[in-house]
Amino acid sequence: MFKVLQSKAVVSLARRAASNEVSFQSKEYKLHKLDNGPSTQVSISRDDALKFYQQMQLIRRMESAAGNLYKEKKIRGFCHLYSGQEACAVGIKAAMTDGDAVITAYRCHGWTYLLGSTATQVLAELTGRISGNVHGKGGSMHMYTPNFFGGNGIVGAQQPLGAGVAFAMKYRNQKNVCVTLYGDGAANQGQLFEAANMAKLWNLPVIFVCENNGFGMGTAVERSSASTEYYTRGDYVPGIWVDGMDVLAVREAFRWSKKYCDEGRGPLMIELATYRYSGHSMSDPGTSYRTRDEIQQVRKTRDPITGFKDRILSSNLVTEDELKAIDKTVRSEVDDAVTHATTDGVLPAEALYTDLYANTPAQLVRGATAEETFAQPFLRTEDLLKSMGQA
């Protein structure tokens, strides 16, 4: 009898393992000026489960590598890490369709990777190498890909720019949205409310996204904002609160939001409740305004990667061996990226005078002194690379 039961259990387990899709219950969404919102019943296929896990793991490991390179003084200047917030970017990207755009603040490394760059291009950009996303000329806060309008180093600068991108989409009759991300520290910027006002007047397809990680630089949200319900801060702009540590809840919310905007009803204001494990930037230890115990507690109870991993393993959607294989591949990919980021060459001095204007003839450019003024030798960095045989 025991063998029969054991055999049935094995068959049952095999059937569950062969399942190509499972469903989970996400946290309730909070709604502002909306009669209904996204479903809390979220489903995921086996292929998407493996893809989301790989994407979040690569972003986490890539950011860890960036942190190490900064400590080794191989990355200079500013460097803001995304560790802990991976589910936000991966979930949003999963809901996007061709032609949708993104513009964000300075935690842009993960977004750059998701929207077309390789780990090598991201890390090499951080170290100023020629193989970087923009050949080492942008650094941590200024990376770009098609339809990714980059990270922005001025607090809140991307908010009106995102509305402008959405205006262009509406003008061209595109069925697309511009996802405009900012942190809770930028949620009190006046330009956000000016942009939201125009976006609502014209029903622009822009989704304003506050990634609320709890601290604007080193200030807790309760000390900086009279209202910490950021999804309601658009007043006349409808909003949704989402658990930003749940990649499936994020994806579901943005699928719903994209449909809402595609119907000409935009804009929307989304709050993603998330958390950053590092300080505001690499120069901030991140422990003077919060305790190490608090950070560890979030890692144990709310981590977006381990939480997602537990879900897909316990539902037998994937196997432990498959996830270990992904971990190994990710580790190899990031290790290879670190090698390039520390050994590749840098652009020659002539590159300082490229990429100044679009669609213009060569301009007279002044160097360090008036005597050094000369016509641009190359209009674009790509032209310079071709002359070097590296394009």
Side-chain angles (χ1 to χ4, degrees):
M1 182 65 178
F2 174 74
K3 288 185 177 180
V4 172
L5 291 174
Q6 187 180 45
S7 177
K8 286 182 178 180
V10 170
V11 171
S12 176
L13 184 62
R15 284 175 179 167
R16 289 181 65 197
S19 173
N20 197 44
E21 186 169 297
V22 295
S23 295
F24 301 102
Q25 191 73 20
S26 67
K27 284 185 180 178
E28 289 287 339
Y29 302 97
K30 300 176 187 176
L31 306 179
H32 171 67
K33 288 191 179 296
L34 290 169
D35 294 328
N36 55 71
S39 172
T40 56
Q41 191 72 21
V42 294
S43 299
I44 186 170
S45 69
R46 169 184 163 76
D47 289 344
D48 280 348
L50 293 171
K51 180 172 74 172
F52 296 170
Y53 181 79
Q54 182 273 336
Q55 290 173 331
M56 289 195 290
Q57 278 288 47
L58 191 136
I59 294 171
R60 177 72 60 86
R61 183 165 284 274
M62 183 173 69
E63 293 291 60
S64 295
N68 292 334
L69 288 169
Y70 193 95
K71 292 170 185 174
E72 295 168 8
K73 298 186 178 180
K74 292 174 181 175
I75 294 174
R76 300 294 184 130
F78 296 99
C79 185
H80 305 78
L81 303 183
Y82 204 59
S83 301
Q85 301 182 212
E86 297 87 354
C88 299
V90 172
I92 295 172
K93 176 60 174 66
M96 291 170 58
T97 58
D98 289 345
D100 289 342
V102 173
I103 187 167
T104 189
Y106 23 72
R107 297 185 203 283
C108 65
H109 310 158
W111 272 111
T112 307
Y113 167 74
L114 290 175
L115 293 173
S117 281
T118 63
T120 293
Q121 289 173 318
V122 173
L123 291 181
E125 186 59 38
L126 294 176
T127 57
R129 305 289 173 158
I130 199 169
S131 53
N133 169 263
V134 285
H135 311 298
K137 298 178 74 172
S140 178
M141 291 186 275
H142 306 287
M143 304 185 199
Y144 309 88
T145 65
N147 288 322
F148 176 48
F149 292 84
N152 288 257
I154 304 299
V155 177
Q158 70 278 18
Q159 296 162 345
L161 296 179
V165 172
F167 176 79
M169 290 172 169
K170 181 164 185 174
Y171 191 81
R172 296 168 181 161
N173 294 315
Q174 292 176 233
K175 287 293 184 183
N176 289 114
V177 299
C178 180
V179 179
T180 302
L181 301 110
Y182 54 95
D184 49 278
N188 298 316
Q189 287 284 312
Q191 55 199 325
L192 171 62
F193 302 101
E194 294 176 14
N197 179 60
M198 288 187 284
K200 184 58 180 175
L201 279 172
W202 299 331
N203 285 338
L204 300 183
V206 56
I207 304 176
F208 295 106
V209 184
C210 177
E211 291 183 288
N212 180 6
N213 60 30
F215 303 93
M217 293 190 73
T219 305
V221 293
E222 292 80 8
R223 296 181 59 213
S224 64
S225 298
S227 168
T228 58
E229 294 182 321
Y230 295 106
Y231 69 103
T232 70
R233 297 279 294 279
D235 188 12
Y236 37 76
V237 177
I240 308 173
W241 178 94
V242 184
D243 179 8
M245 304 299 259
D246 180 351
V247 66
L248 299 183
V250 175
R251 183 192 62 175
E252 193 69 22
F254 279 84
R255 280 178 172 173
W256 188 95
S257 299
K258 179 170 166 51
K259 184 176 182 293
Y260 181 96
C261 289
D262 284 348
E263 292 171 353
R265 303 161 66 193
L268 285 169
M269 195 161 281
I270 311 296
E271 176 185 349
L272 298 180
T274 184
Y275 197 85
R276 58 170 164 82
Y277 294 148
S278 302
H280 170 71
S281 69
M282 285 301 298
S283 60
D284 168 26
T287 53
S288 60
Y289 47 87
R290 58 182 180 177
T291 65
R292 295 183 187 277
D293 288 343
E294 176 184 320
I295 301 169
Q296 289 306 313
Q297 183 65 17
V298 175
R299 282 185 178 274
K300 289 178 181 178
T301 61
R302 295 177 58 208
D303 185 81
I305 300 178
T306 56
F308 181 67
K309 178 180 179 180
D310 291 344
R311 271 179 155 185
I312 59 179
L313 281 175
S314 62
S315 64
N316 293 305
L317 189 61
V318 301
T319 67
E320 186 78 48
D321 287 343
E322 288 173 317
L323 299 187
K324 286 181 179 178
I326 289 175
D327 293 342
K328 183 178 179 180
T329 301
V330 164
R331 189 180 307 112
S332 175
E333 185 175 345
V334 173
D335 287 348
D336 182 63
V338 169
T339 299
H340 282 280
T342 53
T343 59
D344 287 354
V346 299
L347 284 171
E350 298 95 308
L352 292 172
Y353 305 102
T354 61
D355 305 319
L356 299 183
Y357 301 99
N359 303 319
T360 62
Q363 304 290 304
L364 285 176
V365 182
R366 176 174 169 170
T369 66
E371 290 71 27
E372 293 179 1
T373 300
F374 54 88
Q376 286 176 281
F378 300 96
L379 297 180
R380 299 162 60 246
T381 300
E382 285 72 16
D383 300 329
L384 172 59
L385 293 176
K386 285 179 182 177
S387 74
M388 299 167 58
Q390 294 193 30

